[in-house]
Amino acid sequence: MTTPPTTPPTTTPFTTHRPAPPAGTGDEPRARQRDLIAAEWLKLWSLRSTGWTLAASALAVIAVSVVTAYDQYQAWPRYAAADRAAFVRDEMALQHAFTANAALLLLLTVSAVGALTVVGEYGSGLIRTTFAAVPARRSLLAAKMTVVAAVTTVFGALVALVSFVLTQALLDQRGAAIPIGDPDALRLLVASALLAPLAALVGMALGAVLRHTATTLVVTFLVFLLLPLVFDEDRHWGAVLHHSLLFSAWNRLTQIDADQAAYPWTITGAWTVYAVWGLVAAVLVVATVHRRDQ
């Protein structure tokens, strides 16, 4: 009696199933910074309000200075010869190239744009989706600030340049214009252009802290418009606090006769105030969002 051949049993190879790596670990490819910047760029311009707000702000800011220069142009024939000579000698045309009212309007409008880039995401709930897709929050916020700062820097440079060209074209017909190559004119252009990205970063910082649109806009109004009126420059500590404000730093950089103040300060000090405001605002955005949204 023969035994039928037996078929050797088939063996199943032993396989191990590893769980999917958690988000944010080294096994998962991290988003590249340029991809985050591209995403934030699309997010910023996906809102029609961004373009319209910046365009309306540019027209308003330029119009404030142009109207002031036009008033000067109209009043010029009524000035005495000595007053005309003093106007040209003291380079008063620079005060019309980008006026203090234009600077304040720029601070308020651009800071609102910066605040809405943060507050808008919290209000719509988009921020939760964003953080779920990109757990690296510091990189994400760095990309957002890079995009906002770049856009507003170009915006500020265009507004300052157009305002300067138009106002000086008017005053040039009275022989009182300042050439764009003048050192004081160049400093005014740079200082006015940099107001825009600094205002946007401050708006983002306040938006990250307050996270409420109306409250953020009110606090921005208080910081930029009312604080310069509160501190008295005739007292030492009041002057120190006044000089630490962003608008005061712009005023120092654009005024020719600033040394006549009770407590004068230097151009370097004003640039330092610019740098401190930008750095503190950027750190506040990252630290606030990273610590509060765990």
Side-chain angles (χ1 to χ4, degrees):
M1 181 175 181
T2 60
T3 303
T6 59
T7 305
T10 59
T11 59
T12 303
F14 178 73
T15 58
T16 60
H17 298 279
R18 293 184 302 171
T25 61
D27 294 333
E28 182 179 272
R30 297 174 64 88
R32 293 178 299 182
Q33 194 65 24
R34 66 179 182 181
D35 295 332
L36 296 178
I37 292 175
E40 291 298 328
W41 175 271
L42 293 175
K43 192 186 299 182
L44 178 66
W45 294 110
S46 63
L47 298 175
R48 293 184 179 180
S49 60
T50 300
W52 285 109
T53 301
L54 291 177
S57 300
L59 291 176
V61 171
I62 293 171
V64 169
S65 296
V66 171
V67 168
T68 304
Y70 182 75
D71 289 342
Q72 189 68 46
Y73 169 85
Q74 290 286 83
W76 190 263
R78 300 193 296 271
Y79 291 165
D83 295 333
R84 297 180 188 177
F87 187 95
V88 175
R89 182 186 66 248
D90 298 336
E91 296 185 341
M92 298 295 292
L94 286 179
Q95 296 185 10
H96 300 77
F98 202 86
T99 65
N101 289 334
L104 283 173
L105 184 58
L106 180 69
L107 284 170
L108 294 175
T109 55
V110 179
S111 62
V113 173
L116 291 176
T117 61
V118 176
V119 178
E121 287 200 55
Y122 280 100
S124 64
L126 180 61
I127 194 68
R128 292 190 293 271
T129 304
T130 302
F131 285 156
V134 185
R137 299 180 182 183
R138 291 191 180 91
S139 299
L140 176 65
L141 293 170
K144 182 184 289 292
M145 287 189 291
T146 299
V147 170
V148 172
V151 170
T152 52
T153 298
V154 174
F155 169 82
L158 289 176
V159 169
L161 181 61
V162 172
S163 178
F164 183 91
V165 170
L166 293 181
T167 56
Q168 299 312 297
L170 279 171
L171 296 175
D172 186 54
Q173 300 180 40
R174 302 301 189 189
I178 301 295
I180 195 170
D182 186 276
D184 294 327
L186 291 175
R187 189 172 69 240
L188 178 141
L189 286 172
V190 175
S192 301
L194 291 180
L195 269 186
L198 291 173
L201 289 175
V202 172
M204 293 180 70
L206 292 175
V209 173
L210 301 173
R211 302 187 181 185
H212 186 272
T213 302
T215 305
T216 302
L217 297 181
V218 169
V219 173
T220 302
F221 179 87
L222 294 175
V223 169
F224 287 138
L225 192 60
L226 294 186
L227 283 184
L229 303 177
V230 171
F231 301 118
D232 186 6
E233 288 189 274
D234 293 332
R235 298 176 181 272
H236 180 263
W237 284 108
V240 171
L241 294 174
H242 190 276
H243 294 167
S244 66
L245 300 177
L246 188 56
F247 177 72
S248 300
W250 173 86
N251 211 21
R252 175 64 184 90
L253 292 168
T254 57
Q255 282 190 348
I256 306 301
D257 56 350
D259 292 337
Q260 299 178 5
Y263 295 95
W265 54 315
T266 64
I267 295 294
T268 302
W271 287 124
T272 303
V273 171
Y274 264 43
V276 170
W277 274 78
L279 179 61
V280 171
V283 171
L284 195 59
V285 171
V286 175
T288 303
V289 175
H290 182 73
R291 292 178 68 89
R292 290 177 60 180
D293 296 302
Q294 295 295 334

